[in-house]
Amino acid sequence: MSVLELRGLTKSFGGVHAVRDVSFEIGAGEFLAMIGPNGAGKSTCFNMINGQLAPDSGDILCDGKNIAGLAPRDIWRLGVGRTFQVAATFGSMTVIENVQTALISHARESYRLWRPAASRHRTRALELLRQVNMQDAADRPSRELAYGDVKRVELAIALANDPKLLLMDEPTAGMGASERHGLIELVKRLVVERGISVLFTEHSMDVVFAFADRIVVLARGRLIADGDAASIRDNVQVREVYFGTGKTFAGASA
Amino acid sequence: MTDIMLKVESLSAWYGAARILYDLTFEVGRGEVVALMGRNGAGKSTTMKAIMGLIAQRQGKVAFNGDDISRLEPYQIARRGLGFTPEDRRIFSDLTVMENLDIGRQPPRRFADGAAAPQWTPERLFALFPNLAEMPDRPGGRMSGGEQQMLTVARTLMGNPLLVLLDEPSEGVAPLIVEQMANTIIELKKEGLSILLSEQNIHFAQLVSDRVYVLEKGQIQWQGTMAQLSGSPDIQRTYLTV
Amino acid sequence: MTLNAFLFQILNGLSAASGLFLIAAGLSLIFGVTRIVNLAHGSLYMLGTYIAYTFATKIGGVTGFWGGIVATALIVGVIGALIEIVLLRRIYRAPELFQLLATFALVLVINDAALWLWGPADLLGPRAPGFRGAIEILGRRLPSYDLFLIVIGPLVLLALHLTLSRTRFGRLIRAATQDREMVGALGVNQAVLFTSVFALGAALAGLGGALQIAREPANLATDLIALGDAFVVVVVGGMGSIPGAYLAAVIIAEVKALCVGIGVVDFGFVTINFSKFTLVAEFLVMAIVLIARPYGLLGKAQGAVRSIAEPEEPIRPATPLLKALGAVVLVLLVCLPLLAQSTYFGSPYLLVLGIDVLIAIIFAASLHFIMGPGGMHSFGHAAYFGLGAYGAALLVKWLALPFGAALVAAPLLALAGALLFGWFAVRLSGVYLAMLTLAFAQIVWAAVFQWEGFTGGSNGVIGVWPPPPFDKSWVYFLLTLVLAVAAVLLLRRVLFAPFGYAMRAGRDSALRAEAIGIDVKRVHWLGFAIAGLICGVAGGLFAFAKGSISPETIHINRSIDGLVMVLLGGVQTLTGPIVGASVFAVLQDTVMRQTEYWRALMGAIILVLVLAFPQGIVGAFAALWRKAGGRT
């Protein structure tokens, strides 16, 4: 059974269709990339799934439950984690406090007024930090971290509610080539270990072709291709609207 | 040395208590495309902002077209013919394409030797960026990322610059647009413009640049021609970790 | 009300709308470009009334009146330009709070300057030459000057609209509204642009004021009244939208005019005098608009202003040294009653001062709770102080409630107010929130002021003394001390609890907090309520300490005092508000009472604070340290 299923998702802004009748699904444990030109509707699609936007029509089924139009926090409670295109932490907190805040929220303890937060879920928070290799930085102010490390902490936060689906908006944006591969390898490992599904958008074709199990392509708000790396690479339409000749990235040469 | 358009000596910059740049020294010749390469956080954008006067805490000397500009305000620097297109584009989203271009408009200007700099009009820019020609009255906020990227460059060109600081033009845009940007840079070089480019995408930089400075942790770690960098997988691995 | 009377009131409303629009449009323009909410905008309007009055009476005639109006607009424009060049230019990079404080300091200084120049009495100007008569409309007589005003508003709207859309100056204003730094990087001299926008906005306010002298007297209280009205108009219309400002001005003015027109209505079971509800009606309109459209009728969500403030350090539990220091201070305070009786430097005044300081600490600590960790810059914290103080006093006066019960009821009333106002406030952020909280506080103040039969109006409530043994000042001091310590420790406890984390997470990044399941608005609403509750304690203690309470003590000045206390100590530290409140309260009780022009003195203190420490005292120390050792 699919973890997430989009059915006829449509959204327009001021009469302009940003996303038009998009349908696809993500299977359990699948690593799915969503690519397409700027303005193709990827972000709109993403923001409808994570609850920041409500679709005009269409359904978003998460384990069979329609989550279209729910608030981001409610979608999170259903087991959908997310990371942001521009990574950031809660800047006034230490690294571990960031993760603890997410764990506290997951345990529905955010309105507790008395027992200090520092003693809550610390072991579990350290364990999550260990999984992303950040345990040594646990008590450092999070705002001092290098960007690549911020991405890791954000991943630990996203894993705090044991998600079954992880939404990652351009997870490697702003990173150098080797950092990109390091981060995505880490995600891929965690995904396999925990059986999570991942939907991610990405402009780095190197990453997409190396890691994605399947690729969906959006252009002008419509789904124009859905398939494995090889079939997308050879798709004439995708080449025309998105790849170009491929001389600005490695790995896509026909 | 009239051939040197931009000469940066011992440039340092701070954000609050954090020092970002350490005594950078480099130059850009007339008609040259120079790439600043390095990982995220290496200091590429900070370098450009510091040259442009957008960072209050800076030290060192920046000479442009023969004049010292290191103590000038950003608008004074822009009025001497130094153009800046920021990484995050910063299009005026409420203004139309034409209005955005109008904000960038400045009088024609000359190089130090008296030669006229390339002069831009909306018509010429629309020829360079045909996509923009289709939407002169569209508000900037309703354009796609790729279209905004083009508008940012066009807006800067309206100031008839002698040199353009181009911050990560390939970041976050589709491969097809990246290719168009590369072609645009080659066109601008033909016009006689100098360009200082910051870039992480080596494939893109290879298509357009003459020389390269590699930044790491706010310091220049390597410099040479693009050909040298292309021919040295070792250097690429060490500093760019391709 | 007959249909004719109704239509007549509509006309009245339209003429009032023009004045509202002129001042609101200037405020909105200035905010758009400079990102500064010019609290002194009402003061510029007030200057307009006084200067135009002087022209009209000293020169007189057509020249004095009409020429005076034009000259006034120009003069106020020049004053605005000077303010921008001398003061604001230095603080564009300072945190938003400091900018608000600096412009409020101007309010104080200008008010005292007007007092010095024109004296305290109301000054009524002559009627407008050429518009002295009235025109018969709908069977009633409408002053022809009102018709003139009705026309002025749309004319100015049109002129502004054409300027903004058709001229390069207008395009630059619109571009700078979105990203002033980028405009500079494209070769535009921002300094000139900013000064001219500020001058234009000031001239509009001056014009608005000048046009009023034929209708209303020049009065020293106009500055804050005009400011409050302009805030409501701008918030309702949408910050930065000029057509929105006109639309909102019309709506607000009409609603007020209709309230006056309806007058006293007997519903059979109850009689309501609607003309007393003008302020409440204004508030209701704003509340409805904000529920439906948080950024106003024609406004849109503004992108976050690029923050220049330094990020905050993680909060850490008190170090042993700090704990020891706290214990020492506490012991000293407990001994203060003994000290006050000592022969050498003791004085009963010491205890009065001590009580003032402790009340200030509770007030400032509760404000800091939402301002610092909550990130909600309330400019109306006096409302909850007032609800506590008036609540306690009125319960004693009308229901003869015992002291203890009144002291418990005070924070509960403040809590109720904070829950109501906070529900709206947390929907906004940044300056919008600041303006809304200020508007709420003005409404509480106005209700207290206007509802004479219940609250005693401007005389306030007197004779609210605590019963024995609390009538002895040392006993009352110790009670205050116990409550102050409890309040401070309680707020600290909450900050270190999960709730405090959730509140800070919401402040650091609302989007990310929502993405980990935190209902940010609800958390901040509860935070707002807790702050209100604690602030109510301060209010209740204050009423019994002074034995009386008057509208003056809950005026906007008290809200600003709170902000100064918090900033003086440092908003990013937990001990900051305590230190700041202590220093400020001592200063206020000693220095400020020495002069009639205490407002100007207070303004000067704020300006020094803002100009000498534009990044806050903590930031200033950090910068000093960097200069000393950070750089080679």
Side-chain angles (χ1 to χ4, degrees):
Chain A
M1 186 184 149
S2 61
V3 171
L4 187 80
E5 185 182 351
L6 310 190
R7 277 192 205 154
L9 209 56
T10 299
K11 176 82 186 174
S12 56
F13 298 104
V16 180
H17 277 281
V19 170
R20 203 189 295 205
D21 196 21
V22 166
S23 306
F24 62 85
E25 45 187 283
I26 305 168
E30 198 172 23
F31 211 68
L32 178 66
M34 177 156 62
I35 63 172
N38 301 94
K42 302 190 299 294
S43 298
T44 308
C45 223
F46 229 77
N47 285 336
M48 286 192 280
I49 300 171
N50 66 36
Q52 256 169 268
L53 288 173
D56 294 341
S57 62
D59 297 329
I60 305 168
L61 301 175
C62 180
D63 267 354
K65 182 177 166 25
N66 193 356
I67 59 168
L70 291 187
R73 55 175 182 274
D74 297 326
I75 292 175
W76 181 81
R77 294 239 177 256
L78 292 170
V80 181
R82 70 181 285 201
T83 64
F84 293 79
Q85 187 175 344
V86 179
T89 54
F90 299 119
S92 71
M93 297 185 190
T94 63
V95 170
I96 195 164
E97 286 170 353
N98 266 277
V99 183
Q100 281 174 301
T101 303
L103 288 166
I104 284 169
S105 173
H106 184 45
R108 296 178 185 273
E109 296 172 346
S110 291
Y111 292 96
R112 304 283 168 90
L113 297 170
W114 200 249
R115 192 162 64 85
S119 58
R120 294 173 191 253
H121 310 291
R122 194 175 160 90
T123 321
R124 175 89 182 104
L126 276 172
E127 168 60 20
L128 282 168
L129 286 174
R130 197 190 53 73
Q131 289 182 3
V132 298
N133 293 325
M134 286 299 295
Q135 70 274 36
D136 293 339
D139 290 310
R140 283 177 57 193
S142 62
R143 64 187 170 85
E144 289 177 359
L145 297 180
Y147 192 66
D149 291 342
V150 171
K151 290 248 175 195
R152 288 168 188 275
V153 173
E154 202 181 44
L155 186 59
I157 294 172
L159 295 173
N161 66 333
D162 295 317
K164 49 184 179 259
L165 172 67
L166 200 53
L167 303 171
M168 305 183 83
D169 194 4
E170 298 206 23
T172 72
M175 300 179 92
S178 90
E179 287 173 301
R180 287 177 190 219
H181 284 259
L183 184 81
I184 295 295
E185 264 164 28
L186 173 67
V187 174
K188 183 104 183 175
R189 185 165 53 77
L190 292 172
V191 163
V192 173
E193 280 172 10
R194 295 159 160 252
I196 306 175
S197 313
V198 174
L199 172 66
F200 71 111
T201 61
E202 188 57 69
H203 274 308
S204 167
M205 290 307 113
D206 310 358
V207 168
V208 169
F209 286 126
F211 293 99
D213 296 326
R214 212 179 95 217
I215 301 168
V216 292
V217 188
L218 259 59
R220 291 177 186 266
R222 289 181 187 277
L223 189 80
I224 62 164
D226 180 346
D228 61 9
S231 76
I232 296 295
R233 202 187 307 236
D234 296 334
N235 185 312
V236 178
Q237 202 186 351
V238 175
R239 193 165 279 272
E240 191 181 308
V241 301
Y242 187 58
F243 290 151
T245 63
K247 63 185 174 184
T248 60
F249 60 93
S253 41
Chain B
M1 291 282 280
T2 51
D3 276 335
I4 292 182
M5 283 305 299
L6 180 71
K7 192 170 174 62
V8 175
E9 284 175 274
S10 298
L11 182 66
S12 296
W14 290 259
Y15 279 124
R19 186 168 180 178
I20 310 294
L21 301 182
Y22 294 84
D23 299 313
L24 303 188
T25 297
F26 62 91
E27 60 195 36
V28 180
R30 184 155 157 186
E32 200 180 24
V33 177
V34 173
L36 277 180
M37 301 201 61
R39 299 188 182 95
N40 201 72
K44 303 186 298 294
S45 292
T46 308
T47 305
M48 297 203 159
K49 287 184 183 161
I51 293 172
M52 205 59 211
L54 292 169
I55 291 175
Q57 290 173 274
R58 59 180 195 272
Q59 277 178 6
K61 187 167 179 247
V62 182
F64 174 66
N65 201 20
D67 299 325
D68 183 2
I69 59 164
S70 42
R71 296 269 163 267
L72 300 186
E73 292 282 313
Y75 82 93
Q76 294 169 315
I77 294 173
R79 285 184 182 182
R80 281 163 195 254
L82 191 58
F84 173 53
T85 71
E87 175 184 23
D88 45 358
R89 302 174 195 135
R90 297 169 77 167
I91 288 299
F92 304 116
S93 53
D94 282 353
L95 274 63
T96 64
V97 168
M98 281 305 279
E99 288 177 327
N100 265 283
L101 293 180
D102 181 64
I103 299 293
R105 195 182 63 202
Q106 286 186 60
R109 73 179 91 245
R110 293 180 178 279
F111 287 98
D113 63 5
Q119 198 181 328
W120 298 94
T121 57
E123 294 70 37
R124 277 199 74 199
L125 289 167
F126 287 155
L128 191 65
F129 301 106
N131 299 29
L132 297 183
E134 293 167 19
M135 50 182 84
D137 295 321
R138 180 169 303 181
R142 292 180 54 184
M143 301 166 73
S144 76
E147 288 156 0
Q148 287 189 350
Q149 186 65 274
M150 293 175 192
L151 179 56
T152 318
V153 177
R155 186 178 64 181
T156 303
L157 290 175
M158 280 298 285
N160 303 314
L162 309 175
L163 184 149
V164 177
L165 306 174
L166 208 51
D167 199 358
E168 300 230 19
S170 77
E171 170 68 26
V173 290
L176 195 65
I177 307 282
V178 175
E179 225 170 281
Q180 288 183 22
M181 284 311 298
N183 294 336
T184 304
I185 291 173
I186 293 165
E187 283 292 312
L188 295 179
K189 184 178 156 70
K190 277 187 200 149
E191 293 269 347
L193 276 186
S194 312
I195 290 170
L196 179 64
L197 175 78
S198 93
E199 200 41 74
Q200 297 197 47
N201 180 344
I202 180 108
H203 308 288
F204 178 78
Q206 274 170 339
L207 289 175
V208 298
S209 348
D210 303 308
R211 286 193 302 118
V212 180
Y213 293 92
V214 176
L215 278 183
E216 192 175 71
K217 292 183 178 150
Q219 286 171 299
I220 292 177
Q221 297 290 354
W222 186 88
Q223 61 186 75
T225 63
M226 193 70 231
Q228 283 172 320
L229 183 65
S230 299
S232 317
D234 284 355
I235 295 166
Q236 291 185 27
R237 246 196 308 281
T238 311
Y239 297 116
L240 303 173
T241 51
V242 175
Chain C
M1 193 165 54
T2 63
L3 182 65
N4 276 358
F6 175 79
L7 290 174
F8 187 78
Q9 277 310 116
I10 297 262
L11 286 178
N12 259 335
L14 276 179
S15 72
S18 289
L20 277 179
F21 168 66
L22 286 179
I23 174 167
L27 187 69
S28 199
L29 267 181
I30 290 173
F31 172 77
V33 173
T34 64
R35 292 287 148 156
I36 285 185
V37 174
N38 178 28
L39 295 182
H41 212 66
S43 308
L44 294 169
Y45 175 90
M46 182 186 76
L47 280 182
T49 61
Y50 276 108
I51 295 173
Y53 165 85
T54 307
F55 275 116
T57 51
K58 294 279 183 254
I59 297 174
V62 176
T63 326
F65 188 90
W66 295 108
I69 284 179
V70 175
T72 300
L74 293 176
I75 291 172
V76 177
V78 170
I79 294 173
L82 287 177
I83 290 174
E84 199 276 339
I85 291 167
V86 174
L87 175 64
L88 299 184
R89 205 170 269 190
R90 294 167 205 278
I91 55 168
Y92 284 133
R93 298 186 75 83
E96 185 174 90
L97 264 176
F98 277 73
Q99 301 171 340
L100 290 167
L101 276 175
T103 55
F104 187 76
L106 285 177
V107 173
L108 299 173
V109 171
I110 293 175
N111 196 283
D112 266 359
L115 171 67
W116 182 67
L117 282 168
W118 286 286
D122 285 7
L123 304 173
L124 185 61
R127 305 179 91 183
F131 290 89
R132 290 210 170 85
I135 291 162
E136 181 132 336
I137 294 178
L138 303 166
R140 288 160 188 249
R141 289 172 62 77
L142 185 74
S144 56
Y145 189 70
D146 283 17
L147 273 182
F148 167 74
L149 287 181
I150 290 176
V151 177
I152 277 283
L155 278 182
V156 173
L157 172 65
L158 185 68
L160 281 176
H161 175 74
L162 289 177
T163 307
L164 286 176
S165 59
R166 301 286 168 82
T167 66
R168 181 166 160 91
F169 178 62
R171 280 192 284 275
L172 287 177
I173 290 179
R174 283 157 59 214
T177 298
Q178 284 176 41
D179 191 341
R180 46 190 165 159
E181 189 183 67
M182 194 63 223
V183 170
L186 288 168
V188 176
N189 187 345
Q190 295 174 75
V192 172
L193 182 66
F194 279 32
T195 308
S196 37
V197 168
F198 205 91
L200 175 62
L204 285 173
L207 179 65
L211 288 171
Q212 291 302 314
I213 60 159
R215 304 177 91 213
E216 285 161 16
N219 174 310
L220 284 172
T222 359
D223 53 357
L224 290 179
I225 292 169
L227 180 69
D229 284 346
F231 270 7
V232 173
V233 168
V234 166
V235 167
V236 168
M239 203 92 215
S241 166
I242 302 297
Y246 187 70
L247 182 63
V250 170
I251 292 172
I252 299 287
E254 290 301 349
V255 168
K256 282 178 146 185
L258 289 182
C259 275
V260 173
I262 291 168
V264 182
V265 177
D266 190 352
F267 287 101
F269 56 98
V270 63
T271 306
I272 295 179
N273 184 355
F274 278 93
S275 58
K276 288 253 174 193
F277 282 97
T278 50
L279 280 164
V280 176
E282 192 175 328
F283 155 66
L284 274 178
V285 170
M286 182 168 77
I288 292 165
V289 167
L290 284 176
I291 295 169
R293 293 186 60 93
Y295 294 97
L297 290 173
L298 299 184
K300 51 184 139 187
Q302 303 268 352
V305 179
R306 282 156 197 275
S307 172
I308 315 157
E310 303 233 346
E312 204 164 302
E313 281 290 327
I315 58 168
R316 309 271 192 196
T319 57
L321 180 70
L322 187 65
K323 280 182 181 161
L325 198 68
V328 170
V329 171
L330 198 58
V331 169
L332 282 177
L333 283 173
V334 171
C335 297
L336 195 73
L338 294 175
L339 218 62
Q341 290 172 338
S342 81
T343 25
Y344 294 109
F345 51 96
S347 112
Y349 178 67
L350 205 55
L351 282 179
V352 175
L353 180 62
I355 290 169
D356 282 353
V357 167
L358 289 170
I359 290 174
I361 287 176
I362 304 176
F363 181 60
S366 65
L367 175 60
H368 172 265
F369 182 75
I370 46 171
M371 223 173 111
M376 294 174 275
H377 299 164
S378 167
F379 265 61
H381 212 51
Y384 316 104
F385 189 85
L387 285 170
Y390 264 95
L394 291 173
L395 284 171
V396 170
K397 183 182 168 188
W398 293 109
L399 299 179
L401 219 60
F403 170 66
L407 217 51
V408 171
L412 294 179
L413 280 164
L415 173 69
L419 280 171
L420 176 65
F421 296 153
W423 192 86
F424 296 104
V426 298
R427 260 137 250 277
L428 303 178
S429 62
V431 289
Y432 297 89
L433 183 141
M435 298 191 357
L436 186 62
T437 49
L438 195 154
F440 283 138
Q442 284 296 84
I443 283 156
V444 169
W445 174 81
V448 164
F449 196 78
Q450 286 188 332
W451 200 355
E452 220 172 313
F454 183 59
T455 63
S458 58
N459 296 322
V461 186
I462 52 169
V464 196
W465 295 108
F470 297 103
D471 55 344
K472 290 194 183 60
S473 61
W474 70 270
V475 182
Y476 199 79
F477 171 80
L478 288 180
L479 172 73
T480 310
L481 180 61
V482 168
L483 289 176
V485 170
V488 167
L489 290 181
L490 184 76
L491 289 173
R492 262 188 97 88
R493 184 89 198 182
V494 172
L495 281 182
F496 283 100
F499 180 78
Y501 278 50
M503 194 162 78
R504 275 158 60 214
R507 171 200 65 181
D508 286 355
S509 169
L511 191 64
R512 286 184 163 72
E514 290 277 342
I516 57 166
I518 295 172
D519 187 339
V520 173
K521 285 196 181 104
R522 216 163 125 202
V523 165
H524 280 179
W525 184 37
L526 186 56
F528 203 93
I530 292 173
L533 179 81
I534 302 290
C535 185
V537 175
L541 283 170
F542 180 86
F544 285 109
K546 303 292 170 198
S548 67
I549 182 81
S550 67
E552 204 177 298
T553 49
I554 67 162
H555 201 227
I556 176 178
N557 289 322
R558 183 163 298 270
S559 299
I560 304 293
D561 287 354
L563 291 169
V564 175
M565 291 176 201
V566 172
L567 293 176
L568 196 66
V571 69
Q572 300 197 343
T573 62
L574 299 185
T575 42
I578 301 172
V579 175
S582 308
V583 172
F584 184 87
V586 170
L587 266 183
Q588 198 177 37
D589 274 20
T590 52
V591 183
M592 308 280 276
R593 301 232 159 112
Q594 306 286 324
T595 167
E596 185 193 350
Y597 295 102
W598 60 270
R599 282 183 203 84
L601 186 66
M602 174 79 186
I605 292 176
I606 296 176
L607 284 177
V608 167
L609 176 67
V610 166
L611 291 176
F613 310 104
Q615 308 292 331
I617 291 180
V618 179
F621 274 117
L624 274 180
W625 182 85
R626 259 203 312 281
K627 261 190 188 152
R631 282 203 199 177
T632 44

